[in-house]
């Protein structure tokens, strides 16, 4: 009978810890009690199992948060690449427009000179 209770308690503890996000508190078992040595060892083992489960839950929560942050960072990196590509396109268009303006300015100067030559020859 004494070995059944710790097993049942362990199964219940595992079921509760695996069922949801309820964060358990692991009370420290009494180190000196009137229980038998086997019962004290079982309590210590249950307590260590509880601590282990709390650490696993904590690690899982942190892993979920890290994964969420990694997803956010990858989305932001994709947006940054898209924005960089858009800016590169704008810069290329600006350069092309600047070259057209310089060509137009040169053509206008040429036409002004031709007009002045024509006016001088009249």
């Amino acid at each position: 009978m004494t070995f059944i209770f710790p097993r049942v308690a362990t199964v219940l503890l595992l079921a509760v810890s695996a069922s949801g996000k309820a964060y358990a508190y692991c009370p420290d078992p009494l180190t000196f009690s009137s229980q038998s040595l086997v019962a004290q060892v079982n309590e210590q083992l249950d307590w260590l199992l509880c601590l282990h489960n709390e650490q696993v839950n904590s690690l899982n929560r942190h892993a979920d948060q890290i994964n969420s942050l990694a997803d956010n960072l990858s989305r932001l990196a994709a947006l940054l690449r898209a924005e960089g590509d858009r800016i590169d396109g704008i810069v290329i268009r600006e350069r092309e427009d600047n070259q057209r303006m310089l060509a137009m300015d040169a053509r206008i100067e040429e036409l002004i000179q031709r007009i002045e030559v024509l006016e001088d020859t009249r």
Side-chain angles (χ1 to χ4, degrees):
M1 183 72 176
T2 58
F3 291 110
I4 294 174
F5 178 74
R7 288 181 185 163
V8 170
T10 303
V11 169
L12 287 176
L13 182 64
L14 287 174
V16 169
S17 65
S19 66
K21 291 193 172 194
Y23 305 115
Y25 169 72
C26 300
D28 195 11
L30 298 174
T31 54
F32 299 106
S33 67
S34 61
Q35 296 177 343
S36 68
L37 180 62
V38 172
Q40 290 178 12
V41 169
N42 284 334
E43 281 185 8
Q44 288 289 325
L45 289 175
D46 289 343
W47 177 66
L48 291 173
L49 181 64
C50 180
L51 290 177
H52 169 75
N53 289 337
E54 279 187 358
Q55 287 179 341
V56 168
N57 288 337
S58 178
L59 288 172
N60 287 337
R61 284 193 313 271
H62 286 113
D64 290 342
Q65 290 173 352
I66 288 171
N67 290 336
S68 175
L69 289 172
D71 290 342
N72 289 340
L73 284 176
S74 67
R75 278 195 302 268
L76 288 174
L79 289 173
L80 187 60
R81 281 191 301 273
E83 189 67 21
D85 293 343
R86 189 179 72 79
I87 289 172
D88 289 344
I90 290 171
V91 168
I92 290 170
R93 284 193 302 273
E94 286 290 323
R95 286 181 183 161
E96 291 171 352
D97 290 346
N98 191 23
Q99 290 173 351
R100 284 190 205 118
M101 286 282 278
L102 290 175
M104 283 181 17
D105 287 343
R107 180 74 175 144
I108 289 171
E109 284 296 321
E110 178 188 333
L111 291 174
I112 289 174
Q113 288 174 359
R114 285 180 67 190
I115 291 172
E116 287 176 355
V117 168
L118 289 173
E119 285 179 351
D120 288 343
T121 57
R122 272 207 264 175

